Amino acid sequence: MGLACRILRDAGQAEEVTQDVMIEVWRTADRFRPDLGTAKAWVLTLAHRRAVDRVRSVQASKDREVRAGMLSADRDFDQVAETVESLDERRRVHRCLAALARLQRVPLVLAYYQGMTCIEVAHSLSTPEGTVKSRMRKGLDELRACLEAGS
C-alpha cells in the first residue's frame, strides 16, 4: 500500500491497486519462484507495475479527453463572418447618417464619433442644449428607422 501511495499520490487509488495486487498474489502464488527473489520483492514488483499502469491509464484518459475536447470545441465566433458583418453595419450606418439632415447629423457625429457630451456639442455649435437634445433625439429616431428598413 505504501509503494502504491507514493506512486499514485491518491489513497483511494492506492487501496484499489493494493487490493488488485493481493488478489493477483492469491491467484498466481504458484508462479512465485523463490530462486529469483524474495516474496516481498515479488509482491512489491507486482504493486509497482500495477501502480505505474494505473498512472499511465489515468494520464491516457486525460489526454483523450483533452484531444476530444479540442476536436469538438465549437468556435465562439467566425472571425471572417464577424468582420464582414461589422463592415456591413458600418456601411449601413454611414449611409443612414448621410441621409439625415445636417442639423441632426452633426450633433450625432460629434456625440458618438468625437465622444462629446450634449453640453459640449451645444457649446461647440453655439446652440441651446435643449435644441441639441431634440435634434439628436429626432436624428436617432430617423437613424433607427433607416437601419431597420435596410435590414
Side-chain angles (χ1 to χ4, degrees):
M1 170 85 174
L3 176 65
C5 234
R6 280 193 304 271
I7 293 171
L8 294 167
R9 296 192 176 131
D10 180 355
Q13 287 192 21
E15 288 174 1
E16 289 178 20
V17 166
T18 302
Q19 183 178 357
D20 291 346
V21 168
M22 296 311 290
I23 291 171
E24 184 178 357
V25 166
W26 180 261
R27 289 184 181 158
T28 62
D30 60 326
R31 284 195 272 168
F32 171 65
R33 296 193 37 208
D35 55 313
L36 296 178
T38 65
K40 180 179 179 181
W42 179 60
V43 172
L44 287 175
T45 300
L46 293 174
H48 182 268
R49 288 180 183 160
R50 284 283 175 113
V52 169
D53 286 348
R54 178 70 62 102
V55 169
R56 289 179 181 153
S57 172
V58 167
Q59 186 60 47
S61 176
K62 286 179 184 176
D63 291 347
R64 277 191 303 275
E65 287 178 17
V66 167
R67 281 193 307 272
M70 290 172 62
L71 291 174
S72 68
D74 294 332
R75 298 185 190 242
D76 290 338
F77 63 92
D78 181 356
Q79 192 168 1
V80 173
E82 186 82 14
T83 303
V84 169
E85 287 177 17
S86 176
L87 291 173
D88 185 48
E89 275 183 29
R90 189 176 302 151
R91 182 185 50 75
R92 288 178 37 225
V93 168
H94 283 287
R95 181 179 47 79
C96 289
L97 270 173
L100 292 177
R102 185 178 188 286
L103 290 175
Q104 295 162 346
R105 181 179 60 247
V106 172
L108 289 176
V109 169
L110 291 175
Y112 288 97
Y113 291 104
Q114 301 299 319
M116 293 182 167
T117 64
C118 280
I119 296 171
E120 292 170 337
V121 171
H123 181 70
S124 71
L125 295 176
S126 301
T127 308
E129 187 180 343
T131 304
V132 168
K133 285 183 180 181
S134 295
R135 289 176 181 169
M136 288 177 73
R137 190 173 308 111
K138 187 170 183 347
L140 284 173
D141 288 342
E142 289 182 22
L143 188 62
R144 181 180 304 113
C146 177
L147 290 171
E148 287 174 355
S151 51

